[in-house]
Amino acid sequence: MKKYIALALVVLVILITGVIIFMPSGGTSNTNVLGATSIYSHLSPDQFNQAINSGKYTLIDIRTIDEYNVGHIKNAKQNDYYQTQAFSDYLDTLNKKTNYLIYCHTGRRSGLALDIFKQKGFASVNDLEGGLNAWKAAGLPTE
């Protein structure tokens, strides 16, 4: 009996270790930035910038209008996540098959917004890990 318990623990440790070792960085899954196969993932500022430059994504800033007016990523459309009903209504007007990039200030709101996109059936939505703070820290431009 002790041998079976020991064997089960060894197998469990191997499985957990394998999951940790092979888990993509940033908590992403199925990420192929330029191929647009990712579904709901968090991209580093460099990956996010690469996706923007590919021209295959629609960029949405989900911060408040005041935050947006202080500075934003070029060509970002603005729609306030905190305006819950208006934000939901806005998402209902979007093409669910289009590839989207979303960001906020720190990544918290955009991380939560991924769940809303998912519930509404969007095919490909990626958020900026660390938000605009991480973008600026990476030395990437805003306007």
Side-chain angles (χ1 to χ4, degrees), residues 33-34 43-53 128-129 134-135 137-140:
V33 175
L34 296 179
L43 302 179
S44 71
D46 288 334
Q47 291 171 317
F48 200 81
N49 190 41
Q50 181 183 11
I52 291 169
N53 291 333
L128 175 57
E129 188 171 45
W135 178 268
L140 295 165

Short mmCIF file of all heavy atoms in Angstrom, two decimals, residues 33-34 43-53 128-129 134-135 137-140:
data_model
loop_
_atom_site.label_atom_id
_atom_site.label_comp_id
_atom_site.label_asym_id
_atom_site.label_seq_id
_atom_site.Cartn_x
_atom_site.Cartn_y
_atom_site.Cartn_z
N VAL A 33 1.19 35.14 -31.97
CA VAL A 33 0.83 36.54 -32.12
C VAL A 33 0.54 36.93 -33.57
O VAL A 33 -0.51 37.43 -33.89
CB VAL A 33 1.93 37.45 -31.53
CG1 VAL A 33 1.63 38.90 -31.80
CG2 VAL A 33 2.05 37.19 -30.04
N LEU A 34 1.47 36.69 -34.45
CA LEU A 34 1.26 37.13 -35.83
C LEU A 34 0.29 36.23 -36.57
O LEU A 34 -0.36 36.65 -37.51
CB LEU A 34 2.59 37.24 -36.56
CG LEU A 34 3.52 38.31 -35.99
CD1 LEU A 34 4.82 38.33 -36.76
CD2 LEU A 34 2.87 39.67 -36.01
N LEU A 43 -0.05 39.39 -23.30
CA LEU A 43 1.17 39.58 -24.07
C LEU A 43 2.09 40.57 -23.38
O LEU A 43 1.63 41.56 -22.82
CB LEU A 43 0.84 40.10 -25.47
CG LEU A 43 -0.09 39.25 -26.33
CD1 LEU A 43 -0.33 39.93 -27.67
CD2 LEU A 43 0.46 37.85 -26.52
N SER A 44 3.38 40.30 -23.45
CA SER A 44 4.38 41.24 -22.94
C SER A 44 4.31 42.51 -23.81
O SER A 44 3.77 42.47 -24.92
CB SER A 44 5.77 40.63 -23.02
OG SER A 44 6.18 40.56 -24.39
N PRO A 45 4.87 43.62 -23.32
CA PRO A 45 4.86 44.82 -24.16
C PRO A 45 5.49 44.59 -25.53
O PRO A 45 4.96 45.09 -26.54
CB PRO A 45 5.67 45.82 -23.32
CG PRO A 45 5.39 45.41 -21.92
CD PRO A 45 5.36 43.90 -21.96
N ASP A 46 6.58 43.85 -25.61
CA ASP A 46 7.21 43.60 -26.92
C ASP A 46 6.30 42.77 -27.83
O ASP A 46 6.18 43.05 -29.02
CB ASP A 46 8.56 42.91 -26.74
CG ASP A 46 9.62 43.86 -26.18
OD1 ASP A 46 9.49 45.09 -26.37
OD2 ASP A 46 10.57 43.36 -25.55
N GLN A 47 5.66 41.73 -27.28
CA GLN A 47 4.73 40.92 -28.07
C GLN A 47 3.54 41.76 -28.52
O GLN A 47 3.07 41.65 -29.65
CB GLN A 47 4.23 39.72 -27.25
CG GLN A 47 5.27 38.68 -26.96
CD GLN A 47 4.75 37.64 -25.98
OE1 GLN A 47 4.09 37.98 -24.98
NE2 GLN A 47 5.04 36.39 -26.25
N PHE A 48 3.03 42.60 -27.61
CA PHE A 48 1.89 43.46 -27.89
C PHE A 48 2.25 44.43 -29.02
O PHE A 48 1.48 44.62 -29.96
CB PHE A 48 1.51 44.22 -26.61
CG PHE A 48 0.12 44.77 -26.57
CD1 PHE A 48 -0.96 43.96 -26.23
CD2 PHE A 48 -0.12 46.11 -26.82
CE1 PHE A 48 -2.25 44.47 -26.16
CE2 PHE A 48 -1.40 46.63 -26.74
CZ PHE A 48 -2.47 45.81 -26.42
N ASN A 49 3.43 45.02 -28.95
CA ASN A 49 3.89 45.94 -29.97
C ASN A 49 4.04 45.23 -31.31
O ASN A 49 3.66 45.76 -32.36
CB ASN A 49 5.22 46.58 -29.55
CG ASN A 49 5.63 47.72 -30.45
OD1 ASN A 49 4.81 48.53 -30.86
ND2 ASN A 49 6.91 47.78 -30.76
N GLN A 50 4.56 44.02 -31.28
CA GLN A 50 4.70 43.22 -32.50
C GLN A 50 3.31 42.95 -33.11
O GLN A 50 3.13 43.05 -34.33
CB GLN A 50 5.40 41.89 -32.18
CG GLN A 50 5.61 41.00 -33.38
CD GLN A 50 6.26 39.67 -33.01
OE1 GLN A 50 6.36 39.30 -31.85
NE2 GLN A 50 6.68 38.93 -34.01
N ALA A 51 2.35 42.65 -32.27
CA ALA A 51 0.98 42.40 -32.76
C ALA A 51 0.38 43.66 -33.37
O ALA A 51 -0.23 43.61 -34.44
CB ALA A 51 0.12 41.88 -31.62
N ILE A 52 0.59 44.80 -32.71
CA ILE A 52 0.09 46.07 -33.27
C ILE A 52 0.71 46.30 -34.65
O ILE A 52 0.01 46.62 -35.61
CB ILE A 52 0.42 47.26 -32.33
CG1 ILE A 52 -0.40 47.18 -31.05
CG2 ILE A 52 0.18 48.60 -33.04
CD1 ILE A 52 0.04 48.15 -29.97
N ASN A 53 2.01 46.14 -34.73
CA ASN A 53 2.73 46.40 -35.98
C ASN A 53 2.36 45.43 -37.10
O ASN A 53 2.57 45.73 -38.28
CB ASN A 53 4.24 46.40 -35.74
CG ASN A 53 4.68 47.59 -34.93
OD1 ASN A 53 4.05 48.64 -34.94
ND2 ASN A 53 5.76 47.43 -34.18
N LEU A 128 -2.55 43.51 -22.76
CA LEU A 128 -1.18 43.95 -22.48
C LEU A 128 -0.86 43.65 -21.03
O LEU A 128 -1.42 44.28 -20.12
CB LEU A 128 -1.05 45.45 -22.77
CG LEU A 128 0.27 46.12 -22.44
CD1 LEU A 128 1.44 45.44 -23.16
CD2 LEU A 128 0.20 47.60 -22.79
N GLU A 129 0.01 42.69 -20.82
CA GLU A 129 0.41 42.31 -19.46
C GLU A 129 1.12 43.49 -18.80
O GLU A 129 2.08 44.02 -19.34
CB GLU A 129 1.33 41.10 -19.53
CG GLU A 129 1.64 40.49 -18.19
CD GLU A 129 2.36 39.17 -18.34
OE1 GLU A 129 3.29 39.10 -19.17
OE2 GLU A 129 1.99 38.22 -17.65
N ALA A 134 3.57 49.02 -18.00
CA ALA A 134 4.61 48.14 -18.52
C ALA A 134 5.05 48.60 -19.90
O ALA A 134 6.24 48.53 -20.25
CB ALA A 134 4.11 46.70 -18.58
N TRP A 135 4.11 49.06 -20.70
CA TRP A 135 4.41 49.58 -22.05
C TRP A 135 5.41 50.73 -21.95
O TRP A 135 6.43 50.75 -22.65
CB TRP A 135 3.11 50.04 -22.68
CG TRP A 135 3.21 50.64 -24.05
CD1 TRP A 135 3.35 51.97 -24.34
CD2 TRP A 135 3.14 49.96 -25.30
NE1 TRP A 135 3.37 52.15 -25.71
CE2 TRP A 135 3.24 50.93 -26.32
CE3 TRP A 135 2.99 48.63 -25.67
CZ2 TRP A 135 3.21 50.62 -27.66
CZ3 TRP A 135 2.96 48.30 -27.01
CH2 TRP A 135 3.07 49.30 -28.01
N ALA A 137 7.34 51.50 -19.36
CA ALA A 137 8.59 51.02 -18.75
C ALA A 137 9.49 50.34 -19.80
O ALA A 137 10.71 50.36 -19.65
CB ALA A 137 8.28 50.05 -17.61
N ALA A 138 8.87 49.78 -20.82
CA ALA A 138 9.64 49.13 -21.90
C ALA A 138 10.15 50.17 -22.92
O ALA A 138 10.79 49.80 -23.90
CB ALA A 138 8.78 48.07 -22.61
N GLY A 139 9.82 51.43 -22.68
CA GLY A 139 10.30 52.51 -23.56
C GLY A 139 9.52 52.64 -24.85
O GLY A 139 9.99 53.24 -25.82
N LEU A 140 8.29 52.09 -24.86
CA LEU A 140 7.46 52.16 -26.06
C LEU A 140 6.65 53.45 -26.07
O LEU A 140 6.29 53.98 -25.01
CB LEU A 140 6.58 50.91 -26.13
CG LEU A 140 7.39 49.62 -26.31
CD1 LEU A 140 6.55 48.39 -26.01
CD2 LEU A 140 7.96 49.54 -27.72
#
